[in-house]
Amino acid sequence: MKTRYSFGGDEHVYVEVDEEMSLEAFFVALSLRNAVAEANIPGVTEICPANASFEVRFNPDVISPDEMMARIKELEHKAEAGEKRLDTRIIEIPVYFQDPWTHETLMRFRERHQDPEATDLEYAARINGYDSVEAFIEAFHGQPWFVSMVGFVAGLPFLYQLVEREKQIEVPKYLRPRTDTPKHTVGIGGCFGCIYSVRGAGGYQMFGITPMTIFDPTQTVSYLQDFMVFFKPGDIVKWKPIDRAEFDRIEAAVKDGSYTPRIAQVTFDLEAFNADMASTNAKLMEALNGV
């Protein structure tokens, strides 16, 4: 990996660790971003993380663009040599797959899809080599996913599946974007999963919907009173398939304030994960299940 730097006007430096997202690139970017934050560089006003990159906003009246870039480059070696461990959390996210709301939406936009005769799940299953939608859903929720970025739309998480690269699910986005996507839709575009935090346009393939609110600017949802955005980079997600009855129960509990997301604190070690992915994922699941 070779870190690249570029200016965005007079107030921003964009730092890209790698063009392709990987856990290694994420951790190098995380280490460098933390190093910049800990350095307390005069003039830095904001640091915005992305997948394998981040952006630094600064006051050019305090520090010049060239000096800002030079200060970040000074920290690069320290970041690359940093420990690739992260204290984080694993979260269970309930998903109602093949729900009626995303199905109604996808049927309205078949002319924008690669396979108008198939549903999004049927198409995704076929191009990933699964003989049924059920087998595809099992592969989708069977292993944890890593939140590599939160943003683009407020509170929207991008997720990267924690499996060998050749086993990762990949599905292209729609040929042309939809003008509608139900709030809390769960789907995939490329190798990234996501949850649509709000209703709006979109292009990711739609697989299901979660009853959990993940973005609440009013901060009235019980588990979002401290911060309006639920996810943060480095979170680990385990999808849990649910039926309509469970969806309705959880949705009602979120509204009346009685719902508490299932969360466990964990440490994710990249070296241990690369050495034995199956064992690492099993330990993550044991933590979530309280074993």
Side-chain angles (χ1 to χ4, degrees), residues 76-270:
E76 186 175 345
H77 177 71
K78 176 183 177 182
E80 290 179 351
E83 190 176 39
K84 306 301 186 292
R85 290 167 58 92
L86 180 66
D87 291 329
T88 185
R89 56 187 185 164
I90 183 169
I91 308 161
E92 183 178 84
I93 302 296
V95 183
Y96 179 18
F97 291 100
Q98 304 188 82
D99 66 281
W101 305 285
T102 59
H103 182 76
E104 185 277 331
T105 303
L106 69 86
M107 292 305 293
R108 284 192 280 120
F109 293 97
R110 295 332 284 160
E111 82 282 357
R112 306 186 183 201
H113 195 272
Q114 291 87 346
D115 187 351
E117 302 302 317
T119 66
D120 292 7
L121 274 167
E122 289 168 344
Y123 171 69
R126 177 170 56 79
I127 68 170
N128 280 276
Y130 293 95
D131 57 10
S132 68
V133 165
E134 291 71 25
F136 176 82
I137 292 174
E138 177 67 30
F140 183 86
H141 76 77
Q143 299 298 329
W145 293 65
F146 189 91
V147 176
S148 60
M149 171 182 166
V150 179
F152 183 71
V153 173
L156 185 153
F158 288 85
L159 304 105
Y160 188 81
Q161 196 175 27
L162 292 176
V163 295
E164 293 87 348
R165 186 69 183 87
E166 62 272 14
K167 294 182 180 179
Q168 283 184 340
I169 293 169
E170 289 194 28
V171 192
K173 295 191 291 186
Y174 275 45
L175 296 175
R176 290 187 293 130
R178 300 178 302 273
T179 56
D180 190 21
T181 307
K183 183 179 180 180
H184 299 154
T185 290
V186 174
I188 284 184
C191 68
F192 286 104
C194 86
I195 305 173
Y196 282 78
S197 53
V198 297
R199 182 177 183 178
Y204 276 31
Q205 307 284 338
M206 298 182 291
F207 300 156
I209 199 165
T210 178
M212 273 185 62
T213 297
I214 62 170
F215 172 63
D216 178 25
T218 67
Q219 293 183 256
T220 55
V221 172
S222 60
Y223 54 85
L224 291 174
Q225 292 180 356
D226 293 332
F227 195 60
M228 68 179 69
V229 173
F230 181 70
F231 289 104
K232 56 188 176 182
D235 280 343
I236 297 170
V237 166
K238 178 62 174 65
W239 311 108
K240 178 189 177 183
I242 59 173
D243 58 17
R244 176 62 185 269
E246 184 71 356
F247 179 93
D248 292 343
R249 185 193 69 76
I250 295 174
E251 185 177 51
V254 171
K255 290 179 180 178
D256 68 24
S258 62
Y259 183 73
T260 300
R262 191 179 183 191
I263 300 172
Q265 302 300 313
V266 295
T267 297
F268 183 82
D269 186 314
L270 180 60

